[in-house]
């Protein structure tokens, strides 16, 4: 099963046989503060856990976990909420699904047009991650004109084996091996996009 280490854990966990719930639970995961609500119980084939999460991260909190080549594209605090469903199967396997959303309020983005925004603007963002022992699939949508799909292999060097970044409104195609970028923008400043793409490639390890 996946291993997750927490620090600065406060609040209350209640156990009644296989049923677990929580009250006022606060913790830090990889140095990042989270408010969580846990509910768990045993099923016929697996132990089922649902974790509702809320986060309000300062600039220093989240930038510490962003590649240096990409950190300067965002300024401000990051608030989000999400749900994690985890199935720990009795045979030792596991699977999970995480759904995260944020309006990106209070976060300024200095991305190339049309994706730049001030801290006063909202930009609805959704992230879904599904996975099991060998790999995870990451799907993200930022507003109406930026989408991402990637397959993350859980081998000795965790990395994307397939990924597709779609800019503009077009059909998202499942990528072949490697990292692919598709632009369907009516206008684009090539020099600014080239710089962003180089920084993305520098910030992730592609197999």
């Amino acid at each position: 099963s996946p291993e997750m280490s927490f620090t600065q854990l406060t609040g209350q966990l209640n156990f009644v046989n296989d049923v677990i719930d929580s009250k006022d639970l606060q913790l830090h995961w990889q140095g990042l503060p989270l408010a969580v609500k846990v509910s768990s119980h045993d099923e016929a084939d697996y132990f089922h856990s649902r974790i509702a999460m809320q986060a309000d991260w300062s600039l220093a909190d989240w930038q510490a976990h962003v590649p240096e080549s990409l950190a300067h594209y965002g300024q401000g605090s990051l608030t989000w909420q999400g749900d994690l469903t985890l199935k720990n199967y009795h045979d030792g396997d596991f699977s999970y699904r995480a759904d995260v959303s944020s309006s990106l309020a209070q976060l300024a983005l200095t991305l190339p047009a049309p994706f730049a925004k001030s801290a006063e603007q909202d930009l609805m963002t959704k992230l879904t991650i599904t996975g099991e022992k060998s790999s995870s699939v990451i799907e993200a949508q930022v507003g109406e004109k930026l989408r991402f799909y990637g397959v993350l292999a859980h081998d000795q060097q965790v990395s994307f084996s397939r990924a597709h970044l779609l800019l503009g409104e077009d059909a998202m195609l499942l990528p072949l091996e490697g990292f692919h970028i598709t632009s369907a923008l009516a206008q684009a400043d090539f020099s600014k996009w080239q710089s962003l793409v180089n920084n993305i490639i520098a910030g992730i390890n592609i197999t």
Side-chain angles (χ1 to χ4, degrees), residues 85-112:
T85 299
L86 178 63
K87 296 180 179 179
N88 283 289
Y89 292 91
H90 297 157
D91 63 4
D93 206 351
F94 71 90
S95 65
Y96 71 93
R97 177 187 175 103
D99 293 285
V100 175
S101 62
S102 175
S103 67
L104 302 187
Q106 302 178 20
L107 179 67
L109 297 177
T110 55
L111 297 168

Side-chain angles (χ1 to χ4, degrees), residues 9-206:
L9 182 64
T10 62
Q12 182 176 319
L13 278 175
N14 303 309
F15 299 83
V16 179
N17 297 322
D18 63 292
V19 178
I20 304 172
D21 61 25
S22 67
K23 181 179 180 182
D24 300 328
L25 202 58
Q26 306 277 337
L27 55 86
H28 280 65
W29 173 65
Q30 296 191 358
L32 297 167
L34 291 172
V36 302
K37 183 174 178 58
V38 177
S39 58
S40 301
H41 62 276
D42 200 19
E43 296 279 1
D45 298 321
Y46 56 84
F47 191 77
H48 182 275
S49 300
R50 178 178 179 269
I51 305 174
M53 302 170 287
Q54 288 189 320
D56 185 358
W57 293 342
S58 70
L59 177 66
D61 286 335
W62 67 262
Q63 278 205 342
H65 295 265
V66 174
E68 184 178 353
S69 62
L70 298 173
H72 66 280
Y73 289 106
Q75 293 291 323
S77 61
L78 175 60
T79 60
W80 59 269
Q81 52 284 325
D83 284 286
L84 171 63
T85 299
L86 178 63
K87 296 180 179 179
N88 283 289
Y89 292 91
H90 297 157
D91 63 4
D93 206 351
F94 71 90
S95 65
Y96 71 93
R97 177 187 175 103
D99 293 285
V100 175
S101 62
S102 175
S103 67
L104 302 187
Q106 302 178 20
L107 179 67
L109 297 177
T110 55
L111 297 168
F115 302 107
K117 66 176 287 292
S118 70
E120 291 72 34
Q121 294 174 305
D122 288 352
L123 184 63
M124 195 61 205
T125 298
K126 296 181 180 180
L127 173 68
T128 298
I129 307 173
T130 56
E132 34 75 36
K133 187 175 295 185
S134 62
S135 65
S136 297
V137 174
I138 300 173
E139 299 178 78
Q141 180 168 346
V142 182
E144 298 297 327
K145 295 184 178 181
L146 193 154
R147 283 178 286 170
F148 175 82
Y149 177 96
V151 178
L152 191 67
H154 301 167
D155 47 25
Q156 290 184 343
Q157 187 172 357
V158 177
S159 57
F160 284 106
S161 58
R162 292 184 289 155
H164 185 193
L165 177 64
L166 174 61
L167 309 173
E169 298 182 49
D170 202 352
M172 170 64 81
L173 302 176
L174 297 182
L176 300 174
E177 296 296 316
F179 188 88
H180 306 267
I181 300 173
T182 301
S183 175
L185 298 173
Q187 292 181 324
D189 185 324
F190 177 77
S191 63
K192 292 182 179 179
W193 279 108
Q194 184 182 40
S195 176
L196 174 60
V197 170
N198 289 340
N199 287 332
I200 291 173
I201 293 173
I204 59 178
N205 184 14
I206 304 297

